Amino acid sequence: MKKYAKTHEWVHVEGNVATVGISNYAQEHLGDIVYVELPEVGKEVTKGDTICSVESVKAASDVYSPLSGKVVEVNEELDSAPETINSDAEKSGWIFKLELSDPAELDGLMDEEEYKKYCEEEEA
């Protein structure tokens, strides 16, 4: 089940662990990604917290945690290949994995169809 936040992060949940990255829509608007500041493993975050940042040739953007929990893994491949986010933002370009502290927060995120509509409204 993939869900999206209004701040353009995607979440894929398996069991009690959410894999998180920025959406394809977000990476298209950022342009070429040149650096990803990964969060620390073990860091506790609350939904909406700034957790890390992504820098592109255009700008640096904060990445917000779409859910509350503890960071249990980061995608270290992004250290040497941040452009992976441009080529495959919603699969191999994942940024971190979060052990959920409140799975009910998933209900506040959008499904793919709702997110697509949200992006179209942002463009208008």
Side-chain angles (χ1 to χ4, degrees):
M1 159 181 63
K2 191 180 271 187
K3 296 250 186 172
Y4 295 86
K6 287 184 175 180
T7 48
H8 303 291
E9 291 83 14
W10 60 266
V11 174
H12 179 78
V13 177
E14 288 180 55
N16 196 34
V17 175
T19 302
V20 181
I22 64 169
S23 70
N24 199 45
Y25 176 87
Q27 71 80 19
E28 284 176 0
H29 282 74
L30 282 169
D32 295 336
I33 306 290
V34 294
Y35 179 72
V36 179
E37 177 196 34
L38 295 169
E40 281 180 42
V41 172
K43 182 176 183 174
E44 298 273 351
V45 293
T46 300
K47 179 181 177 181
D49 282 355
T50 300
I51 189 163
C52 63
S53 64
V54 173
E55 291 181 32
S56 71
V57 293
K58 291 183 183 174
S61 290
D62 289 335
V63 176
Y64 302 95
S65 185
L67 300 165
S68 300
K70 183 168 90 176
V71 177
V72 291
E73 188 178 346
V74 296
N75 187 353
E76 293 179 6
E77 289 182 28
L78 296 177
D79 274 339
S80 58
E83 67 277 7
T84 303
I85 291 177
N86 290 118
S87 60
D88 195 14
E90 298 195 18
K91 288 188 180 166
S92 59
W94 64 276
I95 299 173
F96 62 94
K97 293 188 180 186
L98 197 64
E99 186 178 276
L100 303 179
S101 61
D102 185 4
E105 289 177 344
L106 280 165
D107 295 339
L109 300 178
M110 296 176 276
D111 65 24
E112 196 164 351
E113 197 59 38
E114 291 169 322
Y115 180 68
K116 189 175 170 187
K117 197 173 185 178
Y118 175 76
C119 292
E120 287 171 1
E121 288 170 5
E122 260 198 356
E123 292 286 322

